[in-house]
Amino acid sequence: MSTFENPGFLAIELDGAGWDGADLTRAVLAAESAGFHAATFTDAPAPGRANALQRAAFAGPVTRSIALVPEVDTVYTEPFHISTQLASLDYVSGGRAGWIVTAAGSPEAAAAVGRSSVTGAALGQEAAASIEVSRRLWDSWEDDAVIRDVATGRYIDVDKLHYADFQTPAGFPGAGYSVKGPSIIPRPLQGQLPVLAPASLIGGIPVDALDAVLVSAPTPELLAAEVRDVRARVGAGVAVVAELDVVLDARGQAAAARGASFDGGRAAFAGSAPGLTDFLADLLKEADGVRLHPASLFVDLEELGRWVLPELRRRGALRPVVQDGTFRDLLGLDRPASRYATAAAAPAGAGK
Amino acid sequence: MKQHTRAKSEVFVPSGQIQFGVFFQGVNSGTIWKAPESGSQTDFESFRRIAQTAERGLFAAFFLGEGLRLREHLGRPHALDVVGRPDAQTMLAALASVTKNIGLVATQNTTYNDPADLAHRLASLDLVSGGRAAWNIVTTDNAWTGANFRRGGYLDHADRYKHAEAFVETAKRIWDSWETPDGPARRVLHEGRRYTVDVTPRLPRSAQYRPVLFQAGDSPEGRNFAARQADVIFSAHPKFEDAVAFRKDLVERSLAAGRGANAVQIMPASEFILAPTAAEAAEKKEWVRSLQIGPQQAIAYLEQFWGRELSAYDPDGPLPEIDPVVEETSETRGSGFHGAKARQLADQWRAEAKDKGLSIRQFVTSKTARIDSTFTGSYTAVADQLAEYARVGAVDGLNISPWLVPSGLDDIVNHLVPELQERGVYPTEYRGATLREHLGLETPVRSADEAVAAVRA
Ligand SMILES: Cc1cc2nc3c(=O)[nH]c(=O)nc-3n(C[C@H](O)[C@H](O)[C@H](O)COP(=O)(O)O)c2cc1C
């Protein structure tokens, strides 16, 4: 994966668009017309941030090609709700939904729902359990469960509905629980939504539960090495996405003078659009995708759309954007059969 | 923001107006899926079309129901009716971007949600929609639904409204927490029997201050809860005499709760079967009923009460002579039927059907839910009927469950709404930008509590 024989994709974090409907529309349309492949929505407990999944849902009907990928916490959110909300996002976006798994470790998140806080390795285990619940529930209706058979009066074929019967594994750190199923919504359009998680949760989350990992490094110089490192751990079947904060020279102001404050923990690129283009072109030889976190959404998005993405496309570094394509298509993933589908229809190991 | 407040009054004053809402049920036996024009129940286009048609007809609100476990029949998922629907708030957030005015009402229960999380998500929906969100509060409490949740089925039926009230109080404090539109936010503490909540809210108030509160539940506790907490009650009493009696009951409860006689609006569930003439409407009704209650639906309906397979019986013949196998009725879970002694019920029904000369199918058609909630007739006759509802203030609005998706509102919007407008009993434009304004509800007054607002229950 070291040349543009495998062009990559670009995602942009739209947090700066706030909660206002008009701003959200403007941001996601700007990102789509700039040629971004995916928009992400953070769920960190910061003031003024509306629910990430709802912001993604709002963006669904006004867009045609951009994947919509909210962060959803797995520790203090009911897994059943997560699963049905994400499946619904897939319906309202025409199969362009994904999920960035997060695991809230803050005492504030625990206090809000009156639970004791979860930390350390337990976070990954909580996340893994929630992912497994969601994946089972998404599969709990086989694709052709809705039959609408007038002759027999049956709307669904109950043989194609399945109880998820999830039970937290032995040694689960928090209070164990079970989820019965089936889902209350038919299988999502993509069958299974692509599931992404930060590399820091790998271990707690088994690699084969994920479709992509988000990789951070402290500096831009270390990012490609970190990507290679994670790639070695997860293999070729899981997409590797590099995380990058970005502030560009814009509107006659040097990037350094724009006073961007990044929250740390992520590599930050400050400089000119051509400089960023070169940097991304190199990075995309190692990573399947890069997620950009712009310092100022609208200012940097304009620069990116005008200078950076067109040049990356010209160089062949980017995958084509497919109108009405699914997020799985973008990631090069097949649509899996339901794990519960009858043996003949389901190859072994399918269903991720 | 424009304000349409009414003075707090001891006497109920009819507004002389009727509003419409649309209840996209998603799971039910009333929506016809067998006709060629029956569309998808999950595709976004169905929701968009219904919501946009409703908005063209100046409907106050678009409602989505909720059920957190699939209904079952004889121990398996129920195969015969429409089933499987998107999550309410996710769908409404998507609809917010393709509508401008219509209110967006999410049915969400107080048992399988966490108050801080639900309050935050509703506040989000309210902000992204520009002040159009509402919460239809329901109190599902069975362990069978609880099997889908981490906290499990922990709530006794008797406690459902106690818990709901603490839940709603906490949500209100959360929505109340910002001093000004720019902050700062007050920390909200609630130490309850079921939950402890300690949160500093992240979202400011919306253009309508906070989501409008609907309540759907019919017991005396449910009505009292609505009288204390809700802006609107989603009732099950659309028939004229029942509606008038329900209004009287609710006015008394509102006054007893220290609120005005007009404080809680009433919007019953309803169904419309309309045509240019009465004869055509009657014919259409036959057709609608035959598709709602087909032969299999009729048998399955009896099976719920008999607790056994009855597929050997002829739907066009008499009720089964064999007896139910269970002492207590085995309801279609989640459908809201209440238990009765099965044997006794069977005897009673057999006698009734024999008396009236009804076949299984005819009998079940006569028993099923929407019969009482149906307005059938010509556009003009139904408009006259509704004008009378408006004149006496029997209801504030009607929540229409379309029996066809996605075209089910077309004739209502194209023909009934103009008739009502001519009679001066239906809005001719949206009154403002928010749902609270459409409904003419008072803007809540922020409570004057200290920096930390603590509720105990
Ligand atoms: C018109 C109406 C609509 C309702 N819709 C729902 C619904 O969508 N989801 C749900 O869980 N319960 C729904 N309910 C049930 C109520 O929320 C409540 O749980 C039930 O009526 C029991 O409360 P009660 O004993 O006060 O009636 C509805 C009730 C009414 C009257």
Side-chain angles (χ1 to χ4, degrees):
Chain A
M1 228 171 260
S2 61
T3 67
F4 294 138
E5 278 148 43
N6 282 313
F9 62 88
L10 289 181
I12 186 161
E13 168 48 46
L14 291 189
D15 189 48
W19 63 72
D20 181 79
D23 288 347
L24 282 172
T25 302
R26 190 158 72 95
V28 76
L29 287 178
E32 186 171 69
S33 61
F36 278 97
H37 300 80
T40 69
F41 302 84
T42 61
D43 190 41
R49 216 162 265 170
N51 178 266
L53 202 140
Q54 287 183 20
R55 286 184 283 143
F58 184 91
V62 295
T63 49
R64 289 293 294 278
S65 62
I66 197 165
L68 302 167
V69 195
E71 290 182 356
V72 182
D73 167 55
T74 47
V75 181
Y76 302 111
T77 320
E78 279 285 353
F80 193 85
H81 290 321
I82 295 177
S83 156
T84 55
Q85 287 165 12
L86 285 165
S88 303
L89 178 64
D90 208 37
Y91 278 94
V92 303
S93 64
R96 290 180 285 122
W99 172 20
I100 297 175
V101 170
T102 59
S106 73
E108 290 77 19
V113 298
R115 290 194 16 216
S116 45
S117 81
V118 175
T119 52
L123 291 169
Q125 287 164 279
E126 288 271 2
S130 284
I131 294 170
E132 179 65 14
V133 171
S134 275
R135 289 195 179 279
R136 287 192 196 197
L137 289 171
W138 293 335
D139 277 348
S140 68
W141 292 55
E142 292 181 35
D143 287 318
D144 45 1
V146 176
I147 51 170
R148 299 168 73 121
D149 185 43
V150 175
T152 60
R154 289 180 309 151
Y155 184 84
I156 51 170
D157 177 350
V158 290
D159 291 335
K160 297 193 168 176
L161 258 51
H162 305 275
Y163 292 99
D165 281 326
F166 172 83
Q167 180 72 51
T168 44
F172 188 69
Y177 65 91
S178 61
V179 174
K180 184 71 188 168
S183 182
I184 47 172
I185 174 173
R187 198 157 187 251
L189 300 178
Q190 297 181 89
Q192 289 277 320
L193 274 64
V195 178
L196 296 70
S200 59
L201 287 175
I202 296 177
I205 307 176
V207 166
D208 65 4
L210 296 174
D211 299 294
V213 285
L214 300 165
V215 176
S216 294
T219 68
E221 293 71 34
L222 294 172
L223 197 49
E226 189 64 29
V227 165
R228 273 193 295 277
D229 213 51
V230 171
R231 167 88 64 210
R233 283 163 66 201
V234 302
V238 177
V240 177
V241 183
E243 298 264 38
L244 187 68
D245 287 340
V246 167
V247 56
L248 290 174
D249 304 337
R251 301 182 181 177
Q253 254 191 325
R258 286 185 46 215
S261 67
F262 293 113
D263 55 4
R266 266 194 307 259
F269 178 95
S272 68
L276 178 65
T277 307
D278 290 341
F279 179 75
L280 289 175
D282 277 344
L283 189 54
L284 284 166
K285 289 177 183 152
E286 303 293 343
D288 297 282
V290 180
R291 173 161 79 147
L292 301 179
H293 299 255
S296 160
L297 181 58
F298 288 106
V299 175
D300 290 302
L301 186 48
E302 197 180 309
E303 297 297 315
L304 290 162
R306 188 174 306 169
W307 306 114
V308 179
L309 274 77
E311 177 58 19
L312 286 172
R313 262 196 302 275
R314 204 191 56 75
R315 295 189 199 176
L318 298 182
R319 295 175 196 178
V321 167
V322 182
Q323 187 153 311
D324 299 323
T326 68
F327 189 27
R328 292 190 79 87
D329 292 341
L330 174 70
L331 295 172
L333 299 169
D334 290 335
R335 190 177 186 288
S338 159
R339 75 192 61 199
Y340 303 107
T342 40
K352 183 168 102 179
Chain B
M1 184 185 4
K2 265 195 288 176
Q3 296 225 344
H4 300 273
T5 54
R6 281 188 278 211
K8 181 168 153 183
S9 163
E10 300 289 306
V11 188
F12 172 70
V13 185
S15 70
Q17 294 284 304
I18 294 273
Q19 303 247 28
F20 284 154
V22 52
F23 188 44
F24 193 123
Q25 297 186 94
V27 169
N28 64 97
S29 58
T31 305
I32 293 171
W33 54 265
K34 296 173 189 168
E37 59 268 52
S38 305
S40 166
Q41 293 287 319
T42 40
D43 284 359
F44 182 69
E45 283 313 307
S46 294
F47 293 84
R48 181 210 297 264
R49 166 109 187 257
I50 293 261
Q52 290 181 340
T53 306
E55 189 163 80
R56 180 162 63 80
L58 303 172
F59 279 41
F62 176 97
F63 285 68
L64 288 173
E66 182 198 59
L68 296 173
R69 178 136 179 208
L70 285 192
R71 297 180 302 165
E72 288 179 359
H73 179 65
L74 303 180
R76 305 191 72 190
H78 191 41
L80 299 180
D81 298 336
V82 167
V83 56
R85 62 183 149 201
D87 170 70
Q89 289 203 66
T90 309
M91 177 55 73
L92 294 175
L95 288 171
S97 69
V98 294
T99 55
K100 259 173 57 191
N101 288 299
I102 193 163
L104 302 165
V105 192
T107 302
Q108 306 272 278
N109 83 81
T110 48
T111 306
Y112 304 108
N113 280 300
D114 287 296
D117 176 54
L118 186 65
H120 177 68
R121 284 190 286 128
L122 287 162
S124 273
L125 182 64
D126 207 16
L127 285 167
V128 300
S129 66
R132 296 189 279 142
W135 172 18
N136 180 34
I137 304 162
V138 296
T139 55
T140 321
D141 58 48
N142 54 69
W144 178 78
T145 299
N148 281 335
F149 294 93
R150 292 180 75 136
R151 292 187 199 264
Y154 63 90
L155 193 56
D156 288 343
H157 184 68
D159 286 341
R160 71 199 189 285
Y161 282 109
K162 276 186 221 145
H163 175 66
E165 192 128 7
F167 192 117
V168 172
E169 285 286 344
T170 305
K172 284 181 173 173
R173 304 250 166 181
I174 288 171
W175 295 326
D176 240 10
S177 68
W178 280 44
E179 298 281 344
T180 72
D182 300 320
R186 293 186 299 207
R187 184 174 161 205
V188 175
L189 295 174
H190 163 78
E191 279 177 50
R193 283 207 308 139
R194 309 279 170 197
Y195 291 95
T196 297
V197 175
D198 177 352
V199 67
T200 302
R202 287 181 261 160
L203 292 175
R205 298 193 288 273
S206 77
Q208 65 171 353
Y209 189 102
R210 68 174 181 225
V212 171
L213 298 182
F214 287 72
Q215 184 269 5
D218 200 34
S219 61
E221 302 96 302
R223 294 181 189 196
N224 283 336
F225 170 69
R228 284 193 295 270
Q229 298 289 356
D231 299 302
V232 187
I233 185 162
F234 183 9
S235 93
H237 304 279
K239 259 190 150 166
F240 190 78
E241 296 78 21
D242 293 348
V244 170
F246 185 80
R247 166 74 75 188
K248 189 164 173 293
D249 181 65
L250 203 69
V251 165
E252 280 162 15
R253 291 178 199 272
S254 301
L255 292 173
R259 297 173 76 194
N262 281 76
V264 185
Q265 301 193 352
I266 303 174
M267 282 186 98
S270 65
E271 179 194 59
F272 285 79
I273 304 178
L274 307 173
T277 66
E280 286 167 276
E283 208 175 290
K284 197 165 169 182
K285 186 168 170 177
E286 285 288 302
W287 177 79
V288 169
R289 295 288 180 245
S290 73
L291 286 173
Q292 287 171 328
I293 310 293
Q296 299 91 354
Q297 281 81 9
I299 296 292
Y301 182 82
L302 293 189
E303 284 174 344
Q304 294 164 33
F305 296 90
W306 262 253
R308 65 197 296 173
E309 269 229 43
L310 299 171
S311 55
Y313 286 84
D314 177 6
D316 295 314
L319 266 58
E321 71 285 354
I322 57 166
D323 280 328
V325 288
V326 284
E327 182 62 13
E328 291 291 330
T329 56
S330 139
E331 58 184 272
T332 290
R333 309 210 65 156
S335 75
F337 295 114
H338 293 289
K341 298 276 181 232
R343 177 75 193 278
Q344 200 181 323
L345 188 82
D347 287 342
Q348 197 184 311
W349 279 6
R350 277 189 287 249
E352 188 184 332
K354 195 167 174 216
D355 224 39
K356 297 181 180 164
L358 299 178
S359 68
I360 288 178
R361 227 167 136 173
Q362 290 164 328
F363 180 77
V364 172
T365 300
S366 79
K367 279 289 167 214
T368 39
R370 290 196 182 173
I371 300 306
D372 277 354
S373 62
T374 306
F375 292 85
T376 314
S378 70
Y379 303 119
T380 53
V382 170
D384 286 340
Q385 193 185 351
L386 293 184
E388 183 61 9
Y389 275 69
R391 193 184 64 77
V392 303
V395 300
D396 295 282
L398 292 163
N399 227 338
I400 302 170
S401 304
W403 42 264
L404 254 188
V405 165
S407 63
L409 294 181
D410 293 1
D411 60 348
I412 294 167
V413 168
N414 294 338
H415 301 292
L416 181 63
V417 162
E419 296 265 0
L420 292 169
Q421 287 169 328
E422 268 175 41
R423 287 161 180 74
V425 298
Y426 191 87
T428 52
E429 59 179 5
Y430 280 107
R431 284 204 250 180
T434 68
L435 176 58
R436 205 173 282 286
E437 287 172 296
H438 305 334
L439 296 171
L441 293 165
E442 287 178 39
T443 302
V445 177
R446 184 167 172 275
S447 60
D449 289 8
E450 282 70 305
V452 173
V455 198
R456 289 180 175 272

